[in-house]
Amino acid sequence: MTGSPAPGSTRACGRSCRAARQTVDLIAGVVGSPVTVDRDLQERSYGEAEGRPHAWLCERSRPLPGVGERLHHDEGLAGAETRWQLAQRAHRSMERLLSSDAQHQIVVTHSGTVTFLIAAWIGVPLVSAGRADFPVRAGSITWLRRDPDSHTHQVCRLDDLNHLDPA
């Protein structure tokens, strides 16, 4: 976002976990926006792997197949959410974002959710999103834009870290 948006033209939303909520609250304070908590922006649940070391997860999970069904793939982790469930939530969230009257929207979410938000943004059908991957790093910004003339949905920047202090 460049310049100063008009008061009330920006909406900030994010997931409810503490770190994301602190980030969205800070951003909302800077841009003068209320905060909307959207539980559909939550990161994917890994069930029994929650809170365990990454090595534990790697030893037990079954990787995605190279061909065939990827969204409903059972990774072998009891209680884990499938990528299909995450994609459904991201699509619901994007539908709400698209129906908002806000001129600018700032979304704070987890990197895994970003892939399915972008897929929904560019119109990839939910059933076809299994091969999509838009990798982003923690703290990065991805800029999505709807062109007012052509009405196209653009991915202008992906995984931008230029706002972070290199020190």
Side-chain angles (χ1 to χ4, degrees):
M1 185 174 3
T2 58
S4 297
S9 68
T10 301
R11 176 177 167 238
C13 66
R15 55 195 179 108
S16 59
C17 82
R18 187 171 52 97
R21 182 58 197 256
Q22 289 173 340
T23 302
V24 78
D25 284 346
L26 177 68
I27 293 168
V30 170
V31 300
S33 165
V35 173
T36 301
V37 173
D38 185 343
R39 298 205 183 284
D40 281 339
L41 293 172
Q42 292 294 106
E43 67 184 291
R44 185 172 159 211
S45 169
Y46 283 91
E48 69 178 340
E50 295 288 336
R52 297 190 187 245
H54 186 69
W56 187 95
L57 172 69
C58 291
E59 290 170 5
R60 289 160 179 80
S61 66
R62 292 189 287 265
L64 288 169
V67 296
E69 176 55 50
R70 295 169 57 88
L71 288 173
H72 294 283
H73 174 68
D74 178 1
E75 294 183 53
L77 302 169
E81 185 176 30
T82 64
R83 293 175 75 237
W84 172 258
Q85 291 166 312
L86 173 61
Q88 285 180 308
R89 289 193 290 103
H91 272 247
R92 283 193 307 263
S93 183
M94 183 55 72
E95 287 172 8
R96 286 189 294 278
L97 290 165
L98 290 171
S99 69
S100 171
D101 292 334
Q103 183 179 358
H104 303 282
Q105 296 188 71
I106 300 166
V107 178
V108 177
T109 192
H110 189 265
S111 61
T113 309
V114 168
T115 285
F116 295 114
L117 283 172
I118 293 172
W121 172 253
I122 60 175
V124 173
L126 189 57
V127 297
S128 300
R131 292 224 168 271
D133 187 23
F134 298 97
V136 297
R137 293 167 286 183
S140 70
I141 296 174
T142 294
W143 296 70
L144 306 178
R145 177 179 182 265
R146 182 176 11 207
D147 185 276
D149 298 320
S150 66
H151 308 287
T152 57
H153 287 198
Q154 304 167 352
V155 180
C156 299
R157 292 185 197 163
L158 180 69
D159 193 39
D160 185 352
L161 293 172
N162 289 328
H163 62 288
L164 296 179
D165 184 1

